[in-house]
Amino acid sequence: MDLNGGVAEIEKRGYALAGISYEPPQVDAQFIEKRGIKYTLLSDPMSEIIDRYNLRDPQYPPGNRAYGVPRPIIFILDRNGVIKAKLYEDTFKKRPPVGLVIETLDKVASAKS
């Protein structure tokens, strides 16, 4: 199950899911419609936010179609915006599995108790 399929479980735990893309808004809108994306997808076509948080995938040089693409990193934040966990892969072609995301959310929640 991909992240889109886990949105309900993530929300049930009191979290929201948002993604960031290096594509322009109109490309993201087509992607959202085509894939039936159920979470917020933010557009960062100049990779400004991606670079601010050092998320750019370094394996793609200028001129490459994927230049500017972020690495697949999931930050789990508390209500104050403090990062409580990070899940990541080495390439945008792989994503942290939704089961691991949900398991990590549960661990973060149990650590608060």
Side-chain angles (χ1 to χ4, degrees), residues 6-113:
V7 169
E9 284 297 315
I10 291 168
E11 289 176 346
K12 190 167 37 172
R13 287 162 170 78
Y15 288 86
L17 180 62
I20 189 164
S21 163
Y22 77 128
E23 298 285 6
Q26 54 275 36
V27 173
D28 282 345
Q30 291 170 354
F31 179 79
I32 290 166
E33 185 175 334
K34 180 179 177 182
R35 298 276 176 103
I37 301 296
K38 300 173 187 168
Y39 55 88
T40 300
L41 185 59
L42 305 169
S43 178
D44 184 17
M46 302 301 290
S47 297
E48 294 170 12
I49 301 301
I50 291 167
D51 287 341
R52 184 178 302 156
Y53 291 95
N54 197 29
L55 303 176
R56 188 185 294 246
D57 193 327
Q59 68 180 314
Y60 300 102
N64 185 292
R65 166 71 179 101
Y67 180 68
V69 69
R71 290 173 294 201
I73 298 174
I74 296 174
F75 294 105
I76 297 174
L77 309 173
D78 68 11
R79 293 190 185 280
N80 297 317
V82 175
I83 297 173
K84 294 298 188 179
K86 288 188 251 185
L87 306 170
Y88 55 90
E89 297 289 346
D90 294 331
T91 174
F92 78 92
K93 294 178 181 181
K94 293 192 284 182
R95 302 281 187 266
V98 73
L100 179 60
V101 173
I102 292 168
E103 178 184 319
T104 304
L105 292 174
D106 291 342
K107 284 180 183 175
V108 167
S110 67
K112 287 192 272 185
S113 306

